[in-house]
Amino acid sequence: MQKSIAIVNDISGFGRCSVTVALPILSVMKIQCGIIPTAVLSNHTEYPDYWMLDFTPYMQDYLAKWEQLHLSFDGVYTGFLGSKEQLDNITDIFKKFSFRQRIVDPVMGDHGIIYDSYTPEMCHAMKELVIHSTLTTPNITELCILTDTPYRKDLSEQDIYHMCRSLSASGVPRIVVTGLEKDNQIGNAIFENDSFQVIYGEKILPLRPGTGDVFASVLAGCSLHNIPLWDAVKAAADFIRTCLLTSAKLEVPINDGVCFEEHLGQLLSLVSK
Ligand code: PXL
């Protein structure tokens, strides 16, 4: 049977992030996708200007139709969420549609800074949502927010392990923490069944927007295919590195993200074994 997933994310019309990343990646991984838009933007917010429509007021009617049609999905994957009300709606959706796999990328901030649009109430609502996930992919900043830990640049692997333990105690079975740094390398920590491992790899500059979405999308796809978490994280990180190298070679403007289209075939091999 083909797998299916509901993608809860914004539609940024240009700039390779959110749905324009998740949809092709999950589709090439042979998963049928449904979309629950959180906002519609002309382009992502890293460009000098953008237009945005908050989709919150339409979400309930939109989802009422899905319920009426008895649509069902194996999994759900959430990314950028724009308001407290929206976060509460999503927690509701988790309950209404009994998704077996619930992947939450708790997009709230980076480099110790919470995004402007994120209020303390929204951070609290995100904590609630994360508790209901089966896999979450915070960066270090987001892990600090989720565990009420003050952010420091010099947090050790041991510190991160303890934060993962505390988050898992609230009911989250699998956690992947992105953006660890050591000796000019970049790593991802995997916490599952109280085991903790970090996979480091070459850091490829410049950093580009949307790589977090590429990472979480590959992980969501692997999760639905029951690919072990270590293999999934390795595959996602390798894929991003390849895409970053090609993006530099093809002189893709930084804000346009990574040209993952060049390498989508690499993901097909993950699911056709
Ligand atoms: O995850 C990247 C992303 C998603 N959605 C919106 C964004 C960005 C990055 O800037 O602006 C709207």
Side-chain angles (χ1 to χ4, degrees):
M1 274 268 279
Q2 200 184 22
K3 306 277 185 191
S4 60
I5 195 164
I7 300 168
V8 185
N9 216 325
D10 70 82
I11 301 175
S12 284
F14 192 79
R16 293 191 187 94
C17 72
S18 24
V19 165
T20 60
V21 164
L23 186 57
I25 287 180
L26 286 155
S27 298
V28 83
M29 294 178 83
K30 304 190 178 182
I31 296 165
Q32 182 194 5
C33 300
I35 307 290
I36 303 176
T38 56
V40 181
L41 293 90
S42 53
N43 48 271
H44 67 61
T45 59
E46 299 278 309
Y47 289 99
D49 203 2
Y50 62 92
W51 171 88
M52 173 170 147
L53 171 78
D54 179 2
F55 203 66
T56 309
Y58 313 103
M59 273 174 101
Q60 283 198 338
D61 288 348
Y62 187 103
L63 288 160
K65 290 294 165 203
W66 278 23
E67 272 191 272
Q68 198 182 314
L69 295 168
H70 303 293
L71 302 190
S72 70
F73 299 83
D74 298 300
V76 64
Y77 157 43
T78 74
F80 179 87
L81 302 174
S83 65
K84 155 93 169 65
E85 196 185 334
Q86 196 168 81
L87 276 148
D88 293 341
N89 282 347
I90 310 293
T91 309
D92 243 29
I93 297 168
F94 276 23
K95 288 177 193 152
K96 272 192 192 142
F97 295 81
S98 37
F99 305 107
R100 266 188 311 106
Q101 306 245 15
R102 300 173 296 277
I103 298 105
V104 173
D105 185 9
V107 181
M108 289 186 285
D110 208 356
H111 309 290
I113 298 162
I114 302 180
Y115 296 134
D116 280 350
S117 62
Y118 257 78
T119 61
E121 282 157 336
M122 287 172 74
C123 293
H124 186 78
M126 182 61 90
K127 277 188 209 169
E128 272 300 303
L129 185 64
V130 167
I131 287 171
H132 293 95
S133 71
T134 52
L135 169 65
T136 187
T137 57
N139 59 34
I140 297 176
T141 305
E142 291 154 351
L143 183 65
C144 286
I145 300 170
L146 293 172
T147 57
D148 298 314
T149 311
Y151 175 86
R152 299 195 326 263
K153 268 193 164 163
D154 61 349
L155 286 164
S156 65
E157 281 184 19
Q158 188 74 0
D159 294 326
I160 290 170
Y161 165 69
H162 284 296
M163 285 193 265
C164 286
R165 272 196 76 167
S166 125
L167 186 58
S168 86
S170 67
V172 188
R174 308 198 301 159
I175 305 164
V176 175
V177 186
T178 60
L180 281 75
E181 302 225 21
K182 186 160 88 177
D183 308 328
N184 258 340
Q185 292 208 310
I186 191 132
N188 298 297
I190 302 167
F191 185 95
E192 188 176 22
N193 298 326
D194 209 31
S195 103
F196 182 80
Q197 282 174 293
V198 188
I199 310 179
Y200 285 99
E202 192 189 347
K203 181 175 177 180
I204 299 179
L205 294 170
L207 300 176
R208 291 167 179 270
T211 51
D213 296 331
V214 174
F215 186 81
S217 300
V218 176
L219 250 55
C222 289
S223 210
L224 260 74
H225 284 290
N226 298 315
I227 294 172
L229 200 48
W230 193 94
D231 296 341
V233 169
K234 175 85 173 58
D238 286 349
F239 181 65
I240 289 175
R241 260 189 293 280
T242 307
C243 293
L244 280 165
L245 287 171
T246 304
S247 303
K249 193 167 131 205
L250 299 184
E251 298 177 14
V252 172
I254 291 177
N255 265 342
D256 295 1
V258 289
C259 54
F260 63 86
E261 303 87 351
E262 299 287 325
H263 299 291
L264 276 177
Q266 197 171 313
L267 299 178
L268 193 54
S269 66
L270 271 175
V271 294
S272 49
K273 278 174 198 158

